[in-house]
Amino acid sequence: MSTIRVTGLHVRHRRTVALDSVDLDFGPGVHGLLGPNGAGKTSLIRVLATVAAPSGGRVELLGDDVSEHRERAAVRRRLGYLPQEFGYYPGFTVREFVAYVAWLKEMPVAEVPAAVERAVTRVGLADRVDAKVKTLSGGMVRRVGIAQAIVNEPDVLLLDEPTAGLDPEQRVEFRELLRELGGSSTVIVSTHLVEDVMAACTEVTLLESGRVAYRGTPESLSALGDAADGVGDNPIERGYTAALRAHRAFGVDASALEGTSR
C-alpha cells in the first residue's frame, strides 16, 4: 500500500531542472534517499512536505492530491518535517518550541503536554526540556528539530539530513528511533551518510541529476557494488558509486541491471 505517490514530478528552479519527470511511490517503512549534491533530494523532500509546489506532475499523500488546498491542509496535520535548516524563536525553551509546532499542526490542546514530553524523551532531551533552544549545542538543536517533527506521531515523516551534528552514539540511537517509527509510518530520510541507510532503512532511492538512478533494498545496492566493481570503503558505498556510474553512462535506473526495478 502506497502512502506517497508521485507521477511525472517536475521541479524547476529558474533555469535549473531539479527533478525531471520522476515517478516514485513509498509505503510504510524507512526509506533512504541518497544522491550527490544537486541531485534533487531536498527538492523532492520539500515538495512532499508541501512547502514547495512542483512545476509539473502529480503528488498524492495519504490518498489525497495535494494540489488542492483543502486536501493539502488536512495532510499537513499528519506530516512531520525536518528541513536542513529550521527556524525557531531564540527565546523559546525546548518545551515551548515543540508545543508551538504541535499547535501549528492543530493537535488537540489537551494532548499537547504529553505529546511534547514523549517526543522530547524519544530524542534524549528530557533533561533539557526547559532549557532555551539558543543555549543548546548544534547536535542538541538538531534533536529538537527531530522532536518537533515527530510530536504529532505523523503518518508521513520527512527528514532532510537529520543526523547532521549528531555524535556517533546519538546516530546509533537515532537509527533505533527510525526503525521504531518505520513500523507504523512512512519515513523518508535524505542523507549523505550511506551507513545510516544500511543500518536503518528498508529501501533506498538514489537520485542523480533529478532522475532516479537506483531503487531497491540496501542489500541489493551493496550487491550491485560487488558485481559492478564500485569504489568505496564498504559494500554499500561501492554500490552507490556503481549505480551512479551506470546511470551516468547509460542514463538508466541501475536497479534494472539487477532485476530490482519496479
Side-chain angles (χ1 to χ4, degrees):
M1 175 184 174
S2 296
T3 49
I4 299 174
R5 187 185 301 276
V6 299
T7 308
L9 184 62
H10 193 86
V11 174
R12 176 183 290 273
H13 303 304
R14 296 184 179 178
R15 296 184 179 181
T16 302
V17 175
L19 293 171
D20 187 6
S21 300
V22 170
D23 297 326
L24 285 170
D25 64 276
F26 302 94
V30 185
H31 305 266
L33 190 61
L34 294 174
N37 290 332
K41 302 187 302 297
T42 292
S43 292
L44 177 59
I45 291 285
R46 283 174 55 80
V47 167
L48 295 181
T50 74
V51 298
S55 308
R58 180 181 176 89
V59 180
E60 295 178 46
L61 297 175
L62 302 167
D64 290 322
D65 181 350
V66 296
S67 64
E68 301 293 332
H69 174 74
R70 186 175 182 178
E71 282 74 13
R72 187 164 60 246
V75 164
R76 283 174 175 166
R77 291 192 286 270
R78 301 170 64 188
L79 285 178
Y81 172 46
L82 173 65
Q84 287 190 34
E85 301 288 340
F86 70 94
Y88 58 88
Y89 294 107
F92 273 13
T93 65
V94 173
R95 185 193 308 276
E96 289 167 341
F97 175 67
V98 178
Y100 172 65
V101 174
W103 174 77
L104 291 177
K105 294 174 185 289
E106 300 181 2
M107 292 184 64
V109 174
E111 296 178 10
V112 169
V116 170
E117 291 286 350
R118 183 167 56 250
V120 171
T121 298
R122 291 172 96 177
V123 301
L125 287 177
D127 60 337
R128 304 304 300 273
V129 69
D130 290 314
K132 290 188 182 296
V133 179
K134 66 180 181 182
T135 68
L136 303 180
S137 67
M140 287 182 179
V141 171
R142 203 65 184 157
R143 284 189 276 163
V144 174
I146 297 168
Q148 64 81 28
I150 65 174
V151 67
N152 60 327
E153 300 284 348
D155 295 312
V156 171
L157 178 61
L158 307 166
L159 304 169
D160 199 352
E161 298 293 344
T163 57
L166 301 187
D167 64 36
E169 182 180 4
Q170 291 163 356
R171 282 175 54 204
V172 170
E173 293 171 350
F174 175 69
R175 292 169 188 168
E176 293 176 356
L177 176 59
L178 281 184
R179 288 190 289 266
E180 176 189 337
L181 294 168
S184 58
S185 304
T186 299
V187 183
I188 300 180
V189 184
S190 173
T191 182
H192 284 96
L193 300 174
V194 293
E195 58 268 33
D196 285 346
V197 170
M198 194 68 190
C201 297
T202 52
E203 187 174 57
V204 57
T205 299
L206 172 59
L207 295 179
E208 160 69 354
S209 299
R211 295 187 175 184
V212 177
Y214 185 85
R215 190 92 192 276
T217 65
E219 292 77 15
S220 64
L221 181 58
S222 297
L224 179 65
D226 293 334
D229 195 26
V231 177
D233 294 329
N234 54 59
I236 196 166
E237 285 184 355
R238 291 192 288 273
Y240 173 88
T241 57
L244 286 179
R245 286 177 174 180
H247 186 263
R248 290 166 180 167
F250 306 110
V252 298
D253 179 345
S255 55
L257 303 177
E258 291 293 321
T260 59
S261 183
R262 295 187 179 196

